[in-house]
């Protein structure tokens, strides 16, 4: 266990410097934006649909792109987190194969299948077999910096895909949104970095409240649900705790009944609800009503709100707060935030 107000001891608890990667997210956004703008892309032309393939910390790049682009994109934006391509993928599908390591078998299988169908392919990776196969097949690749855990490289993985889609006419140009995202993230880092004591640091405060509890993270449809899924994955992989995510309004039609829980199990869970100012009023009203009804059943029920005016800034602000919170939760419970031994074992076993 590490005292969160004693950052001099974080080095021993976090030997690979995961917290540093969290504090450096603004710089990563800046660099990823440049990589996306400079990338060589497949020739422009009609895109029938976009499919972003990837797993885990790389796969969430597709969720981020869907949340940001789907409200305005003329083509559907879909994600694939498995081996097999849907039957509709063909020559007019723009397929991004995203794998930080470039060695993930599901993503490689999807890449091979998309190449066999003649899809327009772009690889986003640090190297590995994915880069080798992209180069051998003459497909564009966006090579991002290595040396991080995939889940600590979200901006490198997601922004080049977003920028590539924008350059191919599937989304807004993003320059203003990226500038705002940088401002919001720098302010988030200033509030949550290691030197800010727990009494004034929202991420440390929340981490201390979540200690010892499995967590349900909920957000509103679209970017709120993507942020909730990212928090769930970071709770799992960084803090090594059981966590689950859900999305309003759908959860208001089933899960809320489980939260009533006359048996009392809900009282052993924490609930974190991720909010943002872009929620449509009907959705916001439903979230508040649900919290009033079932919030008291949880051991801890917290709401956190994104700063920022654009969807990109709001989403990255929620991501950053979640990354800080889960890293401090790991430190507060004596867990090294970096290794994911069970994922490594599973990959070796398959
Ligand atoms: C590890 C992590 C994992 C990996 C996943 C896929 O930090 O986040 O979820 O992202 O196992 O591996 P890559 O990203 O290399 O394709």
């Amino acid at each position: 266990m590490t005292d969160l107000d004693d950052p001099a001891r974080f080095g021993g608890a976090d030997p690979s410097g995961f917290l540093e990667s969290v504090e450096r997210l603004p710089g990563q956004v800046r660099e990823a934006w440049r990589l996306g703008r400079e990338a060589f892309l497949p020739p422009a032309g009609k895109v029938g649909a976009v499919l972003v393939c990837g797993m885990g910390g790389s796969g969430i790049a597709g969720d981020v792109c869907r949340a940001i682009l789907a409200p305005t994109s003329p083509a559907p934006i879909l994600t694939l987190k498995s081996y097999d391509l849907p039957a509709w993928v063909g020559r007019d599908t723009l397929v991004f194969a995203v794998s930080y390591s470039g060695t993930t078998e599901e993503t490689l299988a999807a890449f091979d299948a998309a190449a066999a169908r003649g899809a327009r392919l772009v690889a986003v990776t640090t190297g590995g077999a994915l880069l080798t196969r992209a180069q051998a097949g003459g497909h564009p690749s966006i090579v991002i910096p290595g040396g991080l855990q995939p889940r600590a490289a979200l901006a490198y993985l997601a922004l080049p895909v977003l920028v590539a889609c924008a350059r191919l006419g599937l989304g807004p140009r993003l320059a203003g949104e990226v500038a705002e995202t940088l401002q919001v993230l720098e302010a988030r880092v200033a509030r949550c970095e290691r030197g800010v004591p727990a009494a004034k640091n929202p991420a440390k405060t929340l981490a201390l409240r979540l200690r010892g509890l499995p967590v349900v993270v909920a957000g509103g449809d679209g970017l709120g649900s993507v942020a909730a899924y990212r928090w769930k994955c970071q709770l799992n992989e960084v803090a090594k705790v059981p966590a689950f995510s859900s999305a309003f309004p759908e959860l208001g039609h089933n899960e809320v009944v489980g939260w009533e829980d006359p048996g009392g199990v809900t009282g052993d869970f924490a609930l974190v609800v991720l909010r943002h100012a872009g929620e449509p009023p009907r959705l916001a009203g439903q979230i508040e009503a649900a919290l009033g009804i079932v919030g008291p059943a949880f051991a801890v029920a917290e709401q956190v709100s994104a700063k920022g005016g654009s969807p990109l800034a709001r989403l990255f602000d929620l991501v950053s707060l979640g990354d800080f919170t889960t890293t401090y939760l790991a430190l507060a419970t004596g867990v090294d935030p970096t290794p994911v031994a069970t994922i490594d074992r599973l990959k070796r076993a398959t």
Side-chain angles (χ1 to χ4, degrees), residues 96-108:
F96 292 92
V98 184
S99 168
Y100 190 76
S101 62
T103 60
T104 297
E105 65 173 26
E106 296 91 335
T107 313
L108 289 170

Side-chain angles (χ1 to χ4, degrees), residues 60-72 77 79 162 221-227 311-312 315:
I60 196 152
D63 301 321
V64 168
C65 295
R66 185 169 36 80
I68 301 297
L69 297 177
T72 55
I77 315 279
T79 61
L162 271 175
D221 202 12
L223 81 84
S225 65
V226 172
L312 189 70
L315 180 49

Side-chain angles (χ1 to χ4, degrees), residues 1-4 13 207-208 210-213 238-241 325-337:
M1 310 247 200
T2 308
D3 176 357
L4 294 186
L208 293 172
L210 297 179
R211 252 186 320 184
L213 296 167
V238 179
K240 282 86 176 165
V241 297
T325 302
T326 53
T327 308
Y328 289 133
L329 179 57
L331 297 177
T333 51
V335 164
D336 184 343

Side-chain angles (χ1 to χ4, degrees), residues 337-350:
T338 299
V340 280
T342 311
I343 296 178
D344 297 339
R345 267 180 71 191
L346 207 53
K347 283 186 179 179
R348 280 196 303 272
T350 52

